[in-house]
Amino acid sequence: MRAESDGAPAYKLSGAWTSAHARTLERAVDAARSSDRSPVSRIDMGDVLALDTIGAWLVLGLGGRDDQAARPELVNAEPRHLALIERIKSQPPAAVQPAPTHQAWFVRPFDTLGRLIVGAGEDIVRLMAVLGQILVSLVTAVLHRGPSRASSYVNQFDLIILRAVPIVVLIALVVGAIITQQSILQLRNFGVAIYVVDLGAILMLREVGLLLAAIMIAGRSGSAITAEIGSMRMREEIDALSVMGVDPYRALVLPRMVALVVGLPLLSFIAALAGLVGTAIVAQVYGDIPFDIFLERLQSTLNMRTLLVGLVKAPVMALIIGLVAINEGFKVQGSAESLGRHTTASVVRAIFLVIVADGLFAMFFAAIGF
């Protein structure tokens, strides 16, 4: 393998320089480099039968890859072998990540807080990017540029909204009954149990009905959207759609987002009605308030403003749920652990942001007297 050329060491290679013989070749290269550290002038590759990426790295290691001036002359090499070696030469060496340093105990909370702040900022940027892509896809669909399937919108509306109606109605009915029972228990001490109708109507239409519907959609449909997009990312189906010329946002994201924004106001209204039914049942059974008196009081209490407050907030919360679910789905990497982690993060973050948004809306409407 080794020879002399004008007083400088030279090497003559033979055989197959492939990954199948990587360990043997690596030991031979290390032995040759350790026996003589002087620059190599020439490497004869005339007898090399096969060469792959591992072999090309080992050949470069013979001449000292990091030293540009010490690179030897490659002679008698096949053009395809030379092309592979030149390709390897052009690749910059990967940066070695430094080992993590041990932090003092009083620094760790600040480090964690800083990482959370940076992560939150990155998530906001990603959410805005996702929102921009959705708006572009929406404008493209409205202008009829490219094919648009109405069946996908109907199917997503059925999966996300219509199939969630039974569980939302059941939860709202039970919560409305519980709130009414506890309210009657307290209002009876003051002799004003009849006001439980006013309390139940305002709570259900302004806050509780919408919150219950949004939380159920975040847990049921938001997690499903993240899992669907994440699994498609893992199987590279989204990349396949892009290769075929299909916009993933228009084919996958837009139908789900439209179903959420259009359907959540309807679902929140249904939840509010179910809550009022629970309120009426408990008011009659536990509070001795006849149903006709309940309806009369309800008619005098409700107005269009109370209804509009819930309907105005619903599309915003649907947008939040959709953005978080889609963003977490596109962040999934190629493992089942990543899919589970981002699906959990989607539900938790969506519910948290929905509650925060509801609180901000409550302060805003209170400030303007609406």
Side-chain angles (χ1 to χ4, degrees), residues 37-179:
R37 296 185 177 275
S38 55
V40 179
S41 64
R42 188 180 63 182
I43 297 178
D44 187 350
M45 300 181 60
D47 295 334
V48 174
L49 301 178
L51 184 73
D52 62 6
T53 305
I54 301 298
W57 273 99
L58 293 173
V59 170
L60 290 174
L62 278 171
R65 187 175 187 272
D66 296 333
D67 188 356
Q68 298 289 339
R71 285 182 179 174
E73 178 186 4
L74 301 177
V75 296
N76 300 327
E78 295 185 15
R80 57 192 179 94
H81 294 167
L82 283 176
L84 177 58
I85 292 175
E86 291 298 326
R87 181 71 178 271
I88 297 298
K89 284 182 182 179
S90 65
Q91 299 298 321
V96 179
Q97 297 294 333
T101 58
H102 180 71
Q103 293 178 338
W105 63 270
F106 57 85
V107 177
R108 293 175 189 171
F110 299 100
D111 177 72
T112 303
L113 178 61
R115 293 179 184 274
L116 290 175
I117 293 174
V118 172
E122 292 176 350
D123 278 339
I124 292 174
V125 173
R126 292 194 190 98
L127 289 175
M128 293 301 102
V130 171
L131 179 59
Q133 291 280 0
I134 293 173
L135 292 178
V136 170
S137 301
L138 180 61
V139 171
T140 304
V142 170
L143 296 179
H144 302 288
R145 295 183 178 178
S148 182
R149 298 186 305 165
S151 59
S152 60
Y153 294 87
V154 175
N155 180 55
Q156 292 302 323
F157 187 85
D158 173 60
L159 293 175
I160 295 174
I161 303 300
L162 296 184
R163 298 192 184 186
V165 169
I167 185 64
V168 170
V169 168
L170 178 61
I171 295 296
L173 185 69
V174 173
V175 171
I178 294 172
I179 291 176

Side-chain angles (χ1 to χ4, degrees), residues 99-348:
T101 58
H102 180 71
Q103 293 178 338
W105 63 270
F106 57 85
V107 177
R108 293 175 189 171
F110 299 100
D111 177 72
T112 303
L113 178 61
R115 293 179 184 274
L116 290 175
I117 293 174
V118 172
E122 292 176 350
D123 278 339
I124 292 174
V125 173
R126 292 194 190 98
L127 289 175
M128 293 301 102
V130 171
L131 179 59
Q133 291 280 0
I134 293 173
L135 292 178
V136 170
S137 301
L138 180 61
V139 171
T140 304
V142 170
L143 296 179
H144 302 288
R145 295 183 178 178
S148 182
R149 298 186 305 165
S151 59
S152 60
Y153 294 87
V154 175
N155 180 55
Q156 292 302 323
F157 187 85
D158 173 60
L159 293 175
I160 295 174
I161 303 300
L162 296 184
R163 298 192 184 186
V165 169
I167 185 64
V168 170
V169 168
L170 178 61
I171 295 296
L173 185 69
V174 173
V175 171
I178 294 172
I179 291 176
T180 304
Q181 189 269 338
Q182 292 297 315
S183 299
I184 291 175
L185 187 64
Q186 299 301 320
L187 294 176
R188 186 176 286 168
N189 297 329
F190 304 97
V192 288
I194 190 63
Y195 285 107
V196 73
V197 181
D198 305 58
L199 180 63
I202 295 174
L203 275 179
M204 284 298 163
L205 287 173
R206 289 180 68 102
E207 302 292 340
V208 177
L210 174 59
L211 269 180
L212 290 175
I215 290 173
M216 292 301 300
I217 287 296
R220 179 185 179 276
S221 302
S223 60
I225 291 172
T226 302
E228 290 168 1
I229 295 178
S231 62
M232 294 183 73
R233 284 269 297 175
M234 291 171 57
R235 295 195 297 263
E236 299 182 354
E237 295 178 13
I238 293 179
D239 296 333
L241 288 175
S242 301
V243 170
M244 291 187 295
V246 178
D247 183 9
Y249 277 88
R250 186 168 180 181
L252 301 175
V253 174
L254 190 60
R256 290 167 170 81
M257 186 62 72
V258 170
L260 281 172
V261 174
V262 173
L264 189 57
L266 175 63
L267 197 61
S268 64
F269 180 70
I270 294 174
L273 293 182
L276 289 177
V277 171
T279 300
I281 294 173
V282 174
Q284 185 168 9
V285 174
Y286 189 77
D288 297 327
I289 301 176
F291 190 65
D292 55 343
I293 297 178
F294 180 91
L295 289 179
E296 182 180 351
R297 186 75 186 181
L298 184 66
Q299 186 176 5
S300 63
T301 301
L302 293 181
N303 51 44
M304 187 58 65
R305 178 184 299 180
T306 305
L307 178 62
L308 288 179
V309 168
L311 296 181
V312 166
K313 293 189 292 185
V316 178
M317 294 186 178
L319 188 65
I320 292 173
I321 295 170
L323 288 176
V324 171
I326 293 163
N327 179 51
E328 293 296 329
F330 278 110
K331 287 164 61 177
V332 171
Q333 303 298 322
S335 67
E337 180 186 1
S338 176
L339 179 62
R341 184 171 62 252
H342 287 292
T343 302
T344 303
S346 170
V347 175
V348 173

